[in-house]
Amino acid sequence: MRISRLKGVSIATALCLAAVMAAAPSARAEIALPPPALGVGPASAWPAVTVIAIAGVLVNYDLIRRFTCSGDFLRLGGPGFTGPIGRSANVKPPPACAPR
């Protein structure tokens, strides 16, 4: 008995879904795109991409040197590497690693 109820519910759900899909507007409506503005394109995007890429590389380098025992291999310095970390500084100290 329970299986027949589930079949009835699934058939009713399928019929409702078919009715909704039939009543929905066609997906072939075309949207007119505005003409491209001057200065917008691949050539003008490269400076922004370069700045974002350099920032990403520096953030990854800082995370690597703060959370692993790799040390400051690019010698960029900073709190905890070239000087003490102040009391109010919001900086994670480098890990205490065994000397090599």
Side-chain angles (χ1 to χ4, degrees):
M1 187 86 185
R2 183 175 179 158
I3 295 174
S4 63
R5 274 194 217 159
L6 287 176
K7 281 184 182 179
V9 169
S10 63
I11 290 173
T13 304
L15 289 174
C16 288
L17 182 61
V20 168
M21 292 301 289
S26 174
R28 298 191 65 204
E30 294 183 20
I31 299 172
L33 298 175
L38 295 176
V40 176
S44 63
W46 279 111
V49 170
T50 304
V51 168
I52 292 170
I54 291 172
V57 166
L58 291 175
V59 165
N60 283 330
Y61 171 72
D62 193 47
L63 289 174
I64 288 170
R65 72 183 187 154
R66 296 265 177 213
F67 286 95
T68 65
C69 291
S70 65
D72 191 14
F73 53 89
L74 292 181
R75 309 277 188 253
L76 293 182
F81 292 100
T82 56
I85 298 175
R87 286 184 163 214
S88 63
N90 190 11
V91 177
K92 182 196 177 305
C97 301
R100 295 182 185 184

